[in-house]
Amino acid sequence: MRKVICSTNVAETSITVDDVTSVIDTMRVKEAGFDLLNNASTLAETFTSKASAKQRSGRAGRVRPGVCYRLVKEQTFKDKLKAEQLPEICRTPLERLVLTSVAAGYQDPKSLLLEGMDPPKSRTIDAALQNLMDLGAMKYDGSSRTFSLTGLGSHLASFPVDAKIGKLLVLGAVFRCVDPVLTIASLASERPLFNSPFDKRDEAQKAKTEFAWSRSDLLCLTRAYAAWRGLKAKGATTREEKEFCDSKFLSRRTLYGARDGRRQLAQALVDAGFGGPRRNWEESEEWNSNSGNPKVLKAILVAALYPNVVAIRSPDDKFAQVSGGAVAVANDDPRSIKFFARDRQRIFLHSDSVNFAEVKYKHRWAVYLNKWKNESRVFLRDISEITPGGLLLFAGGDVDVQHEKSVVVLDGWIRLNAQARTAVLARELRTRLDQRLMAKFNNPTATESSPELLEAFQGMLSES
């Protein structure tokens, strides 16, 4: 009996079947990378390397003679294929590596990385350094030309997650919304939570919308996880749990991975001084007084993920003539909603987003976790609509209050309508919040001494 085994490139080293006699190699691979120009992750299909091709051919002929068929011209194999795969350090973001280097005592991380056997591009290192300074994790001393970690950066260097996600964790503890933030952070490094079978795409999307919350993909994840956890807490059997996950198109593997990740990240917060002493402290009311407030949650998403912000542009209102005059016609085409980055480049919303069919947004801005680029377009898989209040308090370093126009411009491109008094109060509150957060980052165990500041913060968000 003949057996045919279809495999991804995991078969290069991880799988060996002794009696395989033939290998048919497509000579293609999907390779993770990073597009510095668009600041977007990529997963591009390309030719594999000669070294990988050799590994693939070795799957045949383990115990008897075998043959490998490569689906590529011989001249292409000789001239176009790289000898080795490009090292990961040369094709992925470097923020995590830079943080670790500075935490280890290297005050000039760029020189250190450029001395490696396969050094990354200089501009990639510069981009990582700038991103970390924008995040508030590092500072630069111009006189000595050295970098050092801030209080926040010291914590982020110890967390086993991306720097932006680490900042989100810390802010979740400071603003008392630990539980949903832990879910978002743990799922950021897991496989997709929602399954989307090719022949059941519409059903899967409908099931996902049952967990929709405040036009946010990330908050949708928190509701889905909470629903599964609630089912488990009620003592559901394995069969009942499986039926629930199947009906909601949830991945059980991802849910269990997220549960384990939450525990690890909760302990990391405790070790950094931001957690409580009791078991399951992260689910207690004390640490989750704002967990049900989407405006607070999305405001700290802005604080952690900025400058990952896009403008939402809806079509102009249309009117229909009736006997009594003209009436507005509701927009029912989600494709008419367009998203633009700071450089005015159009970005497309992926069909996996819970907001893909949304036809009306209340606000004109959204924050996102990651961008993905294919051969021709840049996509967002997750967006969270954000309020002007969240942007006023946490977005950008340059705040231009134009009193005569009742406008606030953040970083030269985010324009928000605000009365002069509101804008001035927001700027003052923003300054005091920055000072309070810096003090908290430097001393996490310090008792909150200015509760009125947090009340003013919540008040500004509730009015926006």
Side-chain angles (χ1 to χ4, degrees):
M1 181 179 67
R2 289 185 177 273
K3 290 185 291 185
V4 177
I5 302 172
C6 297
S7 175
T8 63
N9 56 319
V10 71
E12 288 179 17
T13 55
S14 303
I15 296 176
T16 298
V17 181
D18 289 341
D19 58 350
V20 170
T21 58
S22 300
V23 168
I24 301 175
D25 188 356
T26 64
M27 300 300 295
R28 306 293 288 178
V29 64
K30 280 195 171 182
E31 187 174 77
F34 186 72
D35 182 345
L36 187 61
L37 181 63
N38 291 292
N39 195 31
S41 299
T42 62
L43 189 62
E45 183 182 318
T46 183
F47 280 117
T48 189
S49 66
K50 292 177 182 177
S52 294
K54 183 177 180 180
Q55 283 289 102
R56 294 179 183 189
S57 66
R59 300 308 94 194
R62 308 293 291 184
V63 296
R64 54 178 171 170
V67 62
C68 176
Y69 300 95
R70 292 172 175 151
L71 305 185
V72 67
K73 293 180 180 179
E74 185 176 1
Q75 198 63 38
T76 300
F77 182 87
K78 291 180 180 180
D79 298 341
K80 293 189 177 182
L81 267 67
K82 295 174 291 188
E84 303 281 349
Q85 184 184 32
L86 194 66
E88 189 173 353
I89 193 175
C90 298
R91 53 186 173 85
T92 55
L94 299 175
E95 283 82 358
R96 182 84 198 138
L97 185 57
V98 169
L99 263 182
T100 304
S101 300
V102 178
Y106 295 96
Q107 295 181 312
D108 186 4
K110 183 174 182 178
S111 297
L112 174 69
L113 296 179
L114 289 176
E115 291 173 1
M117 292 181 62
D118 296 292
K121 293 179 180 178
S122 177
R123 58 195 181 100
T124 306
I125 304 174
D126 291 338
L129 290 168
Q130 188 61 54
N131 288 341
L132 289 170
M133 287 190 288
D134 291 343
L135 199 63
M138 283 175 45
K139 53 187 177 182
Y140 178 67
D141 185 344
S143 59
S144 62
R145 296 185 178 181
T146 58
F147 292 89
S148 60
L149 298 181
T150 63
L152 173 62
S154 298
H155 299 305
L156 301 187
S158 67
F159 289 168
V161 291
D162 175 79
K164 283 185 169 66
I165 295 298
K167 185 175 181 179
L168 181 64
L169 286 169
V170 172
L171 291 173
V174 172
F175 290 106
R176 294 299 191 264
C177 46
V178 172
D179 187 55
V181 162
L182 280 175
T183 299
I184 293 170
S186 61
L187 286 171
S189 58
E190 287 287 338
R191 293 169 178 267
L193 177 59
F194 291 95
N195 296 319
S196 186
F198 183 77
D199 58 339
K200 295 183 178 180
R201 289 271 177 93
D202 291 341
E203 293 178 52
Q205 190 69 10
K206 184 178 179 181
K208 183 186 294 188
T209 57
E210 294 180 24
F211 302 109
W213 184 20
S214 192
R215 288 181 286 278
S216 168
D217 285 283
L218 296 180
L219 297 190
C220 172
L221 297 179
T222 68
R223 278 197 166 176
Y225 180 86
W228 172 78
R229 183 176 61 187
L231 186 74
K232 296 277 289 182
K234 293 177 181 178
T237 64
T238 301
R239 180 179 179 180
E240 290 171 336
E241 178 206 1
K242 188 175 184 304
E243 289 176 349
F244 172 80
C245 290
D246 289 344
S247 66
K248 305 300 181 184
F249 292 86
L250 295 171
S251 167
R252 293 180 71 224
R253 178 180 176 181
T254 300
L255 287 165
Y256 279 99
R259 184 189 64 179
D260 296 340
R262 280 172 51 92
R263 291 171 179 169
Q264 182 184 7
L265 295 176
Q267 186 57 50
L269 281 173
V270 172
D271 294 341
F274 289 99
R278 300 192 308 274
R279 179 181 172 84
N280 295 328
W281 65 272
E282 68 275 12
E283 298 177 22
S284 67
E285 176 60 30
E286 177 187 356
W287 291 92
N288 288 285
S289 56
N290 286 317
S291 289
N293 188 333
K295 290 186 177 181
V296 172
L297 288 170
K298 291 195 285 188
I300 66 170
L301 284 177
V302 175
L305 303 181
Y306 190 83
N308 292 4
V309 170
V310 291
I312 304 172
R313 295 295 177 260
S314 301
D316 295 334
D317 292 334
K318 295 181 179 179
F319 297 88
Q321 196 69 33
V322 296
S323 58
V327 295
V329 178
N331 174 43
D332 60 357
D333 183 7
R335 293 173 299 179
S336 65
I337 307 292
K338 298 179 180 180
F339 302 88
F340 294 92
R342 179 173 185 168
D343 59 3
R344 298 185 180 180
Q345 176 195 28
R346 185 177 176 187
I347 301 178
F348 295 84
L349 191 60
H350 197 277
S351 58
D352 285 346
S353 171
V354 72
N355 297 304
F356 183 69
E358 189 67 51
V359 295
K360 186 176 182 180
Y361 290 86
K362 184 177 179 181
H363 303 292
R364 299 172 54 242
W365 304 94
V367 67
Y368 62 89
L369 181 59
N370 290 310
K371 279 193 298 189
W372 290 90
K373 182 177 181 295
N374 64 11
E375 288 78 5
S376 59
R377 291 181 172 182
V378 178
F379 285 94
L380 302 176
R381 288 186 179 273
D382 65 89
I383 64 166
S384 299
E385 181 191 37
I386 47 181
T387 66
L391 287 167
L392 274 173
L393 293 175
F394 291 119
D398 180 25
V399 182
D400 178 18
V401 179
Q402 300 178 4
H403 298 283
E404 67 284 356
K405 297 180 181 179
S406 296
V407 167
V408 178
V409 182
L410 305 175
D411 275 355
W413 78 288
I414 298 177
R415 297 177 62 87
L416 303 172
N417 295 323
Q419 296 298 322
R421 180 175 178 276
T422 301
V424 171
L425 288 174
R427 187 162 58 183
E428 175 64 22
L429 178 57
R430 181 189 178 110
T431 301
R432 294 187 61 193
L433 270 176
D434 287 343
Q435 294 171 348
R436 182 69 192 96
L437 287 173
M438 190 176 298
K440 190 69 174 176
F441 296 153
N442 291 327
N443 186 10
T445 58
T447 304
E448 178 60 57
S449 58
S450 51
E452 73 283 353
L453 188 61
L454 294 182
E455 291 177 6
F457 158 75
Q458 293 174 5
M460 173 155 284
L461 292 180
S462 65
E463 292 175 6
S464 62

